[in-house]
Amino acid sequence: MYVDHHLAVKPRKKKKKKPKRKKSSVNRSAKQSSPPRIPVASLLSSGQFPIGEEVEYLGENAFRTTNEEKRYLDRMNNDFLEEYRHGAEVHRQVRQWAQKNVKPGQSLTEIAEGIENGVRALTGHQGLEEGDNLKGGMGFPTGLSLNHCAAHFTPNAGNKTVLQKEDVMKIDFGVHINGRIVDSAFTMAFDPIYDNLLAAAKDATNAGVREAGIDVRMSDIGAAIQEVMESYEVELGGQSFPVKCIRNLNGHDIIQYSIHGRKSVPIVKGRDQTKMEEGETFAIETFGSTGKGYVRDDMETSHYAKKADTPNIPLRISSARTLLSSISKNFGTLPFCRRYLDRLGHEKYLLGLNNLVSSGIVEAYPPLCDVKGSHTAQFEHTILLRPTVKEVISRGDDY
């Protein structure tokens, strides 16, 4: 049953100046293949990648749009911006293919590999030669988290899970060019009873994107997100469930080759007075849940990342030393999963991998799940706080 009238609070509509969305410089007549296999750089008509959604700063920062010094700083960032826009266009083309082609009955492994093969082809980096994956490709493994599981699940080898019609699947993947990671996510459901859950997360993410900007406090962003998310409810099996923000999941800043920087963007109101600053890049992501609105580690780990600046720790297990060398050369501090080690030809590496984790060199990121029986949804965008405008780099026609 389609549910669209169970909003606890109807959001007030404000008339707003529409943000500028620049004309695409991708030559749409030179069509992307299906599945996507043509590098996006070869589809360019102007030699430049499409600009994301540009939003002018407001209030005390309104001067930035026309300020000469800020415009000069913006022009100096051209390489950085082109790398980000390149990754964003790859993300859009791959995810739009996934939205049309992912269907119940497919295995999660098939879905993950379909997305990852697309990203590698469109960036022009297969990642099989040593160091190639550090130039471009997957920014982190494809998250395919189902139902009560909110994040950090990707199938390991041998996983036989098949997508069902009643599943709610978060698809969260990253694309990077030269370590500039575009982090963006969306949720797919095949039964319209979940429409309000998806709408809650999508609207809440857009509220966070709108609120974010130079000198904005994290607490204000969290409050704006929570107000929108929790104005929704979902009717499932004749019972009404309020949509709750998952309070212990956050957005985050992104730095080169590191998906999580030093700042967190809360999705509930709080006291964090930290401000966003000029030149920073943020992933604004929100998670809505019909459960407790709180996640815990659960299930088998698939995601890992080498920690930055780890001290030189002597490793007694030779397989750990071999594996660390391969991780450093192929991923650096970019997250990876077990399937990526399989793909590079590693075998029987679990003892070595667990040794790297217990030695504090590699961080394990287990799946994060709410209570069983609940359903969760996520949407996410990457934003660049340029000196002159906020650029929603991952914005597309889809979300």
Side-chain angles (χ1 to χ4, degrees):
M1 184 180 90
Y2 178 69
V3 183
D4 66 351
H5 56 283
H6 288 287
L7 293 185
V9 178
K10 283 195 176 173
R12 291 191 302 278
K13 286 196 174 174
K14 290 181 190 168
K15 281 194 176 176
K16 282 201 173 158
K17 207 163 60 172
K18 275 222 162 170
K20 288 185 285 189
R21 206 172 287 179
K22 292 285 176 88
K23 276 189 182 170
S24 171
S25 53
V26 173
N27 183 359
R28 298 296 178 198
S29 60
K31 277 260 167 63
Q32 183 52 264
S33 61
S34 179
R37 291 294 179 269
I38 306 167
V40 294
S42 64
L43 295 175
L44 288 185
S45 54
S46 69
Q48 288 189 311
F49 293 98
I51 296 170
E53 177 189 32
E54 291 184 322
V55 186
E56 292 180 2
Y57 295 118
L58 304 171
E60 289 176 8
N61 280 303
F63 77 95
R64 292 173 168 276
T65 311
T66 53
N67 180 275
E68 271 310 312
E69 185 190 344
K70 298 300 179 190
R71 288 172 65 162
Y72 172 75
L73 282 172
D74 208 25
R75 287 194 297 274
M76 294 292 285
N77 278 334
N78 198 46
D79 289 350
F80 159 87
L81 290 173
E82 278 299 289
E83 287 163 355
Y84 256 116
R85 289 167 185 161
H86 185 173
E89 183 58 24
V90 171
H91 199 289
R92 277 188 289 274
Q93 292 194 18
V94 172
R95 77 187 190 224
Q96 287 169 13
W97 168 81
Q99 287 158 7
K100 289 187 188 86
N101 291 279
V102 167
K103 300 277 187 310
Q106 295 171 348
S107 72
L108 296 193
T109 301
E110 185 187 344
I111 295 166
E113 288 179 349
I115 289 168
E116 290 161 356
N117 290 341
V119 168
R120 292 180 183 123
L122 270 56
T123 55
H125 294 285
Q126 286 298 323
L128 288 168
E129 288 174 26
E130 199 174 275
D132 187 45
N133 190 61
L134 291 171
K135 294 173 186 168
M138 293 301 298
F140 55 87
T142 305
L144 299 174
S145 305
L146 298 179
N147 305 322
H148 72 292
C149 185
H152 294 173
F153 180 89
T154 201
N156 286 327
N159 185 293
K160 300 280 192 287
T161 307
V162 170
L163 183 65
Q164 305 296 319
K165 186 181 185 296
E166 57 275 13
D167 285 336
V168 177
M169 179 166 66
K170 281 68 61 188
I171 300 185
D172 187 353
F173 69 98
V175 177
H176 90 94
I177 302 292
N178 190 29
R180 308 297 183 185
I181 307 167
V182 176
D183 183 359
S184 185
F186 57 99
T187 299
M188 291 185 80
F190 306 92
D191 187 330
I193 62 169
Y194 301 114
D195 284 356
N196 259 19
L197 176 61
L198 272 60
K202 191 174 182 178
D203 282 1
T205 295
N206 281 327
V209 168
R210 260 195 315 277
E211 190 73 22
I214 294 169
D215 298 331
V216 176
R217 294 180 199 279
M218 300 301 179
S219 54
D220 293 338
I221 299 168
I225 288 169
Q226 186 173 17
E227 184 180 4
V228 171
M229 182 80 82
E230 297 186 355
S231 72
Y232 281 86
E233 46 188 63
V234 187
E235 194 174 286
L236 301 172
Q239 196 180 343
S240 201
F241 294 89
V243 179
K244 297 175 185 168
C245 287
I246 299 181
R247 61 187 181 276
N248 59 332
L249 290 179
N250 302 289
H252 47 91
D253 66 329
I254 302 172
I255 51 184
Q256 192 173 19
Y257 288 108
S258 185
I259 186 62
H260 284 230
R262 297 172 200 88
K263 292 183 178 179
S264 287
V265 186
I267 65 172
V268 291
K269 61 182 181 228
R271 296 194 178 89
D272 188 353
Q273 298 299 298
T274 310
K275 289 181 178 180
M276 291 185 164
E277 295 171 69
E278 179 183 314
E280 290 181 325
T281 299
F282 284 94
I284 305 290
E285 59 184 319
T286 75
F287 295 83
S289 176
T290 61
K292 290 199 183 314
Y294 189 86
V295 291
R296 290 185 168 83
D297 295 351
D298 195 11
M299 303 193 294
E300 185 178 67
T301 300
S302 54
H303 285 53
Y304 301 84
K306 190 176 81 141
K307 294 179 185 176
D309 311 319
T310 47
N312 198 1
I313 298 164
L315 294 164
R316 288 179 181 81
I317 298 173
S318 68
S319 63
R321 290 195 296 273
T322 309
L323 188 61
L324 178 60
S325 171
S326 176
I327 290 166
S328 300
K329 288 169 183 168
N330 289 290
F331 307 109
T333 51
L334 291 171
F336 59 93
C337 63
R338 294 191 201 174
R339 282 185 297 104
Y340 294 4
L341 298 178
D342 302 334
R343 188 171 176 265
L344 290 172
H346 289 283
E347 293 175 343
K348 300 188 173 119
Y349 53 76
L350 268 182
L351 175 70
L353 182 57
N354 290 333
N355 183 238
L356 293 175
V357 171
S358 61
S359 303
I361 295 168
V362 166
E363 185 85 51
Y365 295 94
L368 299 166
C369 303
D370 202 332
V371 290
K372 278 201 170 110
S374 66
H375 292 86
T376 59
Q378 171 201 20
F379 278 85
E380 177 178 22
H381 274 302
T382 296
I383 63 169
L384 312 179
L385 298 182
R386 287 166 46 196
T388 52
V389 287
K390 169 171 66 184
E391 185 171 345
V392 189
I393 198 79
S394 52
R395 181 73 79 196
D397 297 332
D398 49 351
Y399 66 88

